[in-house]
Amino acid sequence: MPNWLLPENIADVLPSEARKIEELRRAILDNFRLYGYELVMPPMLEYLDSLLPVGGHDMNLRMFKLVDQLSGRTLGLRADMTTQVARIDAHLLNRRSVTRLCYAGSVLHTRPSGLHATREPLQIGAEIYGHAGLEADAEIQELALASLALAGFDEVRLDLTHAGLLRSLIEHDENAREDEAALLMLLRAKDVPGLSVLVEDYEAVTRDALLALPSLYGDRSVLALARQKLPALPGVLRALEELEALIDLAGNAAVTIDLADLSGYQYESGAMFALYVPGLPNAVARGGRYDHVGEAFGRARPATGFSMDLRELARLLPGAQPRAAIHAPWSRDPALRSKIAALRSDGEIVIQHMPGHEADQQEFDYDRAIVLEDGNWNLKTLG
């Protein structure tokens, strides 16, 4: 096998695409900063038990593992950065106040999430710690929508659901609690026949509510229907109220309610959302509340956040246009070197061509050139 071949679903990012991704990363991180989010950079690998504190089965399957030659312990190559940032908040920063953190970096997956998905997503996201109120959920939702707007997406669909619904519905039914994992799989797949078989022996109230969840999909009118079909348990009513408030705060985004979409249920603890854009069937961003992750690090803190894959997002955007640049000859003349340095300090791209390679093609559009006229180096417009 040629030594230049890469593993399946692993790819180099070439100049034009890399520039598009990097410009998007900078714009989103700069916007996070405007909201008060502080950048952190967790390591690529950690001890496995640090990366799998809660709901770890799915993450365990997605994670590459190796043995540390120094300690002999098992290490994991991160498949997600949210747990790492929760560890930083709980164990290293240990602040009493509300803390806003953001991050951007590669993660690795043992298997791709879709047919053409990369196994090395470039994950970017933001998290709020220390506030249990809906205000934090609303800010994260706003920040996720703003990130897609910065990327140039003006048609965004916001899907909302709530992890508290299922937990409240099965809380007082022992059989349902024992089947929680199976219920979760059937609800995600909207497998009503399979769900009907599984819930046969449940209490009537629980059974009817669970069978109603797959049909509770649509616009905000679904919430009124849910109040009719679901029992008036405190947790159910609170979840529906929170979803209604988040719809009101969604701005111009088209909003869909899907009360059976419980992706991330083992991880999340409250309101959850997914963002969709034209051209991609999968969500480009996911977020929600996960108040219990910090417990594994000795400090439970209210937490909510979101993340998305910049490589996948950039793939949906138009190709990067060539950047305007200035052509310059190669010379040892101090006057030319001074002229080039001044232009670069003003933010101009100046490319000196090596002798014999003046016609090389790159991803730049030469609209100006530095030429020698009457002993002076002058900037001339090409055209």
Side-chain angles (χ1 to χ4, degrees):
M1 180 179 292
N3 62 4
W4 48 265
L5 288 179
L6 294 173
E8 291 184 51
N9 297 90
I10 297 290
D12 295 305
V13 181
L14 300 182
S16 179
E17 188 74 4
R19 177 162 60 87
K20 187 166 57 170
I21 291 171
E22 176 60 13
E23 289 176 353
L24 188 57
R25 185 191 70 86
R26 291 181 187 180
I28 292 174
L29 285 179
D30 285 347
N31 193 52
F32 287 171
R33 186 70 177 176
L34 296 180
Y35 282 72
Y37 288 76
E38 301 171 274
L39 182 65
V40 293
M41 297 180 179
M44 175 61 75
L45 75 170
E46 294 192 39
Y47 292 123
L48 189 61
D49 53 1
S50 295
L51 293 171
L52 300 172
V54 292
H57 179 68
D58 290 345
M59 194 66 67
N60 191 28
L61 294 176
R62 294 165 60 192
M63 191 179 301
F64 285 98
K65 304 172 188 71
L66 65 155
V67 175
D68 183 7
Q69 295 188 20
L70 295 180
S71 67
R73 294 176 61 183
T74 302
L75 301 177
L77 291 169
R78 67 188 183 200
D80 180 79
M81 295 176 72
T82 305
T83 300
Q84 294 183 296
V85 180
R87 172 184 55 76
I88 289 172
D89 171 73
H91 185 64
L92 296 179
L93 295 178
N94 200 25
R95 297 171 179 169
R96 293 181 179 273
S97 61
V98 170
T99 301
R100 293 173 170 86
L101 300 177
C102 62
Y103 54 89
S106 292
V107 298
L108 290 169
H109 294 166
T110 53
R111 294 179 179 273
S113 59
L115 184 61
H116 300 294
T118 177
R119 289 195 288 164
E120 189 188 4
L122 180 54
Q123 190 177 50
I124 189 168
E127 321 288 334
I128 298 180
Y129 301 95
H131 185 68
L134 192 66
E135 296 84 358
D137 301 88
E139 181 171 303
I140 285 295
Q141 177 179 288
E142 177 184 330
L143 199 58
L145 289 167
S147 298
L148 290 183
L150 279 173
F153 292 102
D154 52 12
E155 293 182 45
V156 179
R157 191 181 89 236
L158 171 68
D159 273 19
L160 287 168
T161 188
H162 203 292
L165 280 172
L166 181 58
R167 293 195 174 96
S168 296
L169 293 175
I170 68 175
E171 183 180 6
H172 302 293
D173 190 317
E174 184 177 353
N175 290 332
R177 291 199 309 274
E178 291 176 355
D179 291 337
E180 185 175 14
L183 284 169
L184 188 59
M185 291 180 62
L186 292 169
L187 286 168
R188 282 177 177 172
K190 290 185 169 57
D191 183 353
V192 177
L195 188 62
S196 300
V197 173
L198 183 65
V199 302
E200 279 181 343
D201 297 327
Y202 293 2
E203 295 177 12
V205 173
T206 307
R207 181 176 63 249
D208 293 344
L210 292 173
L211 288 173
L213 286 181
S215 65
L216 293 174
Y217 172 83
D219 59 23
R220 85 182 288 159
S221 64
V222 165
L223 296 180
L225 190 60
R227 290 187 173 95
Q228 297 173 15
K229 292 190 172 185
L230 301 181
L233 300 169
V236 170
L237 296 178
R238 182 169 58 252
L240 297 176
E241 288 172 2
E242 290 182 1
L243 292 175
E244 192 148 35
L246 290 172
I247 292 175
D248 292 337
L249 295 167
N252 295 325
V255 180
T256 301
I257 302 295
D258 186 354
L259 299 186
D261 180 8
L262 297 170
S263 300
Y265 172 82
Q266 294 173 313
Y267 196 81
E268 310 283 359
S269 61
M272 302 186 292
F273 67 84
L275 296 178
Y276 295 85
V277 297
L280 190 70
N282 303 319
V284 294
R286 287 192 179 273
R289 181 163 289 279
Y290 56 100
D291 290 343
H292 307 298
V293 174
E295 290 177 0
F297 306 114
R299 187 173 182 234
R301 288 253 279 172
T304 183
F306 87 99
S307 65
M308 57 187 177
D309 177 11
L310 280 179
R311 292 179 69 165
E312 185 171 56
L313 195 63
R315 186 166 56 86
L316 300 173
L317 300 176
Q321 296 300 309
R323 293 286 298 275
I326 298 169
H327 174 284
W330 193 93
S331 172
R332 296 182 181 180
D333 188 341
L336 174 62
R337 297 170 68 86
S338 176
K339 179 80 171 179
I340 291 172
L343 288 166
R344 286 174 176 162
S345 69
D346 289 337
E348 297 281 4
I349 299 172
V350 183
I351 300 173
Q352 284 187 279
H353 285 268
M354 301 295 110
H357 297 274
E358 287 81 1
D360 280 356
Q361 295 296 315
Q362 301 182 53
E363 63 151 10
F364 299 100
D365 179 17
Y366 297 108
D367 61 350
R368 289 156 295 165
I370 300 176
V371 296
L372 184 63
E373 297 177 325
D374 300 325
N376 295 314
W377 293 103
N378 297 321
L379 185 63
K380 305 288 287 187
T381 299
L382 301 175

